[in-house]
Amino acid sequence: MAHENTQFDVAIIGGGLAGITAALELLEQGLKIVMIDRDSEQKFGGLATNSLGGMTLINTPIQRLNGIHDTPETALRDWYSFARFSSRDHWPKKWAELYVNRSVEDIYQWLKAKGIRFFPVPHWVERGEFGDGNSLPRYHIVWGTGQHLMHTLINELKHHVNSANIKYLFDSKAESLLINNRTVCGLQGRHEKTGEVFEVNAATVLVASGGINGDIDRVKREWDKSWGEPPEHILNGAHEFADGTMHEAVERIDGRISNLHQMWNYAAGIHHPKPRVPLEGLSLIPPKSALWLDATGQRFGPVPLVTGFDTHLICKRIAQDPHGYSWQVMNWKIALKEIAVSGAESNTAFRDRRILQLARDIFLGNRKLLEYLVAECEDVVTGDSLEELVENMNRLNAGSQTRGSGVVDLDNLSQSVEQYDRQIDLGKELHNDDQLRRLAQVRNWRGDRSRTCKFEKILERKSMPLVAFREFIVSRKSMGGIQTDLESRVLSNDGQPIPGLYAAGEAAGFGGGGISGLKSLEGTFISNCILNARMAARSIGNLPLTP
């Protein structure tokens, strides 16, 4: 067994956003740190590097410039309406209160001081199926996506004046915690390449190792029982090493784990054309003007599925369908204007901060992305008529290794499409379809208008061909996790802090073991990695928690 002879002040488990944020704060205090990361140095930064970089922030200068007058009280009311906290969720509620009151000071201004900027118009996501979600636009996207965010923070970490105080152990998996006199005093792990066991001695351990959603088998085991059985086929959109190893390690020393059944998955997952891990999925930002259909070609109803209102409810409705997957059908014009894939990889204009390319993609459509998906993704088919489209949809199911169990019925699909198109033909004064009403509402906000078609018929002859996406649930984030107090101290099953042990980011359910409760307002994930980690660093250094 190898031993790290140095006695460290803090051992950080996980090299993602929470771990890196904490390391930056702890270096400011002159502490000696070791960071243990299971991934290679080339992949330093974790899942946030591949994210779109969206954050829910309250009462920012960007909101005010757009005429949005937000308050922590309004945001907390919206938060509670979605979270539906139970009587057991004391600490998640406390973290939610802290977040809405500190998001500008502890997240927005902290990032701004490091040169991070946001797109000048906030997006309006998770409005709620019945107006019970975000009552105002709050979704701020980092200009440069999560890739620019992480590269900026990693660069600062590596060039910090106290950078000599941090040691990195890459390709190293932490597996258990060391205890002495009921106090955590280090950890034991294994080097991935050699299999050699190692120990690290540290006065404090911070768990920032991510969640459980990279392990699809565990996702299915933890599945919310009120949803019934999990779909047979779930794609992986989480980090491959987010497998809950450290959750189990914390449990073994009587740490409390809560709400692991609460997850933030997405409904519009397609197979990655070039998967790097098994079942890797891309998460579409689903077109609002497309028709969302079940496996037989029937439109979901009576309330149609439209993205941007309640992601959790869409996932639930599809997961509870006997087939466990869905189709979205549209024409080329809709796909060109509205199709997008979440994350840095597919949003090159945003990622590379190319304003002219972004403007072109918004107004002319991202043709390169659409043509790539049609040509390379196994879940996309086209057709010049409904008959040809249905034939290709069923051929896809019959010939693919991930065969869908349903058969698309031409009569079902024709009825769904033609009924919708007839509504559009009546004119907007006579629209009596809930999807059209929602499209009208969405187009009222400038952040959505430019990316949403204006009542486009599916069978519009000049907008052919037709396009269909076969979509699966894609696993993404764990909303539950290790329970922590407002100092990010890990709590035992009797509610007391475990000396020497902290948790932050997704490992902690983004705060308190489940800060978002049942469902998120969206954008409360990478931002909470920053908030949790900063609170942990202040507590470890005995600094004021809210300076």
Side-chain angles (χ1 to χ4, degrees):
M1 179 186 296
H3 291 266
E4 291 297 329
N5 296 324
T6 306
Q7 174 67 40
F8 296 97
D9 296 309
V10 186
I12 300 174
I13 302 173
L17 177 55
I20 289 169
T21 298
L24 283 169
E25 297 285 274
L26 294 167
L27 286 182
E28 286 291 312
Q29 302 173 39
L31 298 180
K32 188 171 290 186
I33 306 162
V34 59
M35 179 174 283
I36 301 95
D37 192 49
R38 190 174 172 184
D39 224 332
S40 65
E41 185 173 3
Q42 290 72 31
K43 296 180 180 179
F44 189 29
L47 192 64
T49 305
N50 300 320
S51 73
L52 187 60
M55 306 183 197
T56 285
L57 302 170
I58 294 98
N59 194 26
T60 65
I62 292 174
Q63 282 181 300
R64 293 193 292 273
L65 283 172
N66 283 275
I68 302 165
H69 303 286
D70 203 359
T71 66
E73 293 76 21
T74 302
L76 190 61
R77 183 170 61 247
D78 295 346
W79 195 300
Y80 283 175
S81 71
F82 251 29
R84 301 180 192 173
F85 288 126
S86 72
S87 59
R88 301 184 300 275
D89 292 325
H90 171 78
W91 287 112
K93 288 182 69 174
K94 290 293 185 183
W95 272 105
E97 293 169 11
L98 180 71
Y99 184 94
V100 299
N101 283 287
R102 299 293 307 178
S103 71
V104 171
E105 290 81 0
D106 278 325
I107 303 167
Y108 179 85
Q109 290 179 354
W110 187 75
L111 291 173
K112 185 179 178 182
K114 298 180 183 305
I116 298 297
R117 298 293 180 264
F118 293 88
F119 192 68
V121 180
H123 284 56
W124 198 350
V125 298
E126 298 305 304
R127 302 173 184 219
E129 196 76 8
F130 306 103
D132 52 342
N134 278 308
S135 58
L136 296 168
R138 299 188 175 105
Y139 191 72
H140 297 63
I141 302 177
V142 171
W143 182 231
T145 70
Q147 180 173 296
H148 176 62
L149 167 67
M150 296 310 300
H151 287 177
T152 299
L153 297 183
I154 290 171
N155 184 65
E156 180 170 332
L157 187 64
K158 290 184 175 180
H159 294 91
H160 196 281
V161 65
N162 293 327
S163 61
N165 280 8
I166 184 168
K167 178 174 182 176
Y168 302 95
L169 295 179
F170 293 109
D171 298 302
S172 300
K173 180 184 180 183
E175 296 180 325
S176 60
L177 298 165
L178 302 178
I179 301 288
N180 183 27
N181 194 26
R182 299 183 180 180
T183 298
V184 172
C185 59
L187 61 100
Q188 186 178 93
R190 188 180 303 273
H191 294 299
E192 293 275 29
K193 292 182 177 179
T194 65
E196 183 182 18
V197 175
F198 67 89
E199 284 189 358
V200 170
N201 298 315
T204 300
V205 174
L206 171 63
V207 178
S209 53
I212 67 167
N213 278 53
D215 182 342
I216 300 301
D217 288 337
R218 181 152 192 181
V219 166
K220 291 180 178 180
R221 291 199 304 273
E222 302 287 354
W223 196 256
D224 190 333
K225 299 301 185 291
S226 69
W227 287 29
E229 293 299 313
E232 180 180 350
H233 196 68
I234 298 176
L235 298 179
N236 194 345
H239 197 287
E240 62 178 314
F241 294 146
D243 60 4
T245 295
M246 289 311 301
H247 292 69
E248 296 168 2
V250 169
E251 280 189 302
R252 287 196 295 271
I253 64 166
D254 197 39
R256 181 182 294 173
I257 310 295
S258 59
N259 300 316
L260 285 183
H261 66 289
Q262 294 175 348
M263 306 176 197
W264 195 245
N265 300 322
Y266 292 105
I270 58 176
H271 291 82
H272 197 299
K274 298 178 180 178
R276 292 150 293 196
V277 297
L279 293 175
E280 183 175 8
L282 293 174
S283 180
L284 295 179
I285 300 175
K288 296 180 176 67
S289 299
L291 291 188
W292 216 320
L293 312 171
D294 70 12
T296 71
Q298 286 189 319
R299 193 176 177 197
F300 279 96
V303 178
L305 302 186
V306 184
T307 191
F309 291 87
D310 193 330
T311 297
H312 180 271
L313 182 59
I314 291 175
C315 285
K316 182 176 182 178
R317 289 176 68 183
I318 293 172
Q320 290 182 329
D321 183 84
H323 299 95
Y325 72 98
S326 62
W327 290 94
Q328 277 198 297
V329 169
M330 66 210 80
N331 58 43
W332 190 266
K333 179 180 177 180
I334 292 171
L336 187 61
K337 190 174 185 65
E338 298 189 19
I339 198 69
V341 177
S342 181
E345 180 182 25
S346 302
N347 291 276
T348 56
F350 237 111
R351 183 193 66 200
D352 301 334
R353 295 178 289 172
R354 296 176 180 173
I355 190 66
L356 293 180
Q357 181 188 340
L358 179 63
R360 184 198 67 195
D361 289 349
I362 289 174
F363 292 108
L364 299 179
N366 193 338
R367 184 175 300 275
K368 184 177 180 181
L369 174 62
L370 178 56
E371 291 178 345
Y372 170 74
L373 293 175
V374 170
E376 302 294 336
C377 180
E378 68 174 83
D379 296 310
V380 187
V381 295
T382 62
D384 291 323
S385 66
L386 286 178
E387 290 80 4
E388 183 181 0
L389 186 71
V390 168
E391 182 179 345
N392 290 336
M393 292 163 79
N394 285 326
R395 183 181 295 119
L396 169 62
N397 271 350
S400 109
Q401 292 181 345
T402 53
R403 179 178 177 180
S405 59
V407 176
V408 181
D409 182 84
L410 178 59
D411 289 339
N412 285 347
L413 184 59
S414 297
Q415 182 178 2
S416 298
V417 170
E418 290 168 3
Q419 183 176 351
Y420 179 76
D421 282 0
R422 282 196 298 270
Q423 278 285 313
I424 294 177
D425 278 334
L426 291 173
K428 63 181 181 180
E429 296 86 356
L430 298 176
H431 285 170
N432 193 30
D433 183 284
D434 197 59
Q435 183 164 347
L436 295 177
R437 284 192 285 266
R438 287 169 188 260
L439 289 174
Q441 178 192 357
V442 164
R443 284 181 54 82
N444 284 333
W445 175 241
R446 67 177 70 94
D448 293 310
R449 187 184 307 122
S450 61
R451 299 300 296 264
T452 307
C453 291
K454 187 177 181 181
F455 308 129
E456 172 74 11
K457 292 197 302 181
I458 306 298
L459 294 178
E460 182 62 52
R461 194 174 294 274
K462 63 184 179 182
S463 300
M464 292 296 181
L466 298 170
V467 185
F469 285 79
R470 183 181 61 176
E471 298 171 354
F472 300 89
I473 301 295
V474 58
S475 174
R476 190 64 173 174
K477 305 177 184 81
S478 315
M479 292 205 297
I482 302 167
Q483 196 164 102
T484 57
D485 64 11
L486 291 185
E487 296 181 48
S488 293
R489 298 181 297 182
V490 174
L491 302 177
S492 64
N493 283 307
D494 64 4
Q496 298 302 309
I498 297 175
L501 186 60
Y502 292 74
E506 190 172 357
F510 301 100
I515 186 174
S516 292
L518 181 67
K519 49 188 174 180
S520 170
L521 292 175
E522 188 65 287
T524 58
F525 303 117
I526 63 175
S527 51
N528 261 311
C529 288
I530 295 170
L531 180 63
N532 295 172
R534 297 196 71 201
M535 297 299 283
R538 289 172 190 167
S539 180
I540 291 168
N542 296 312
L543 300 178
L545 296 180
T546 52

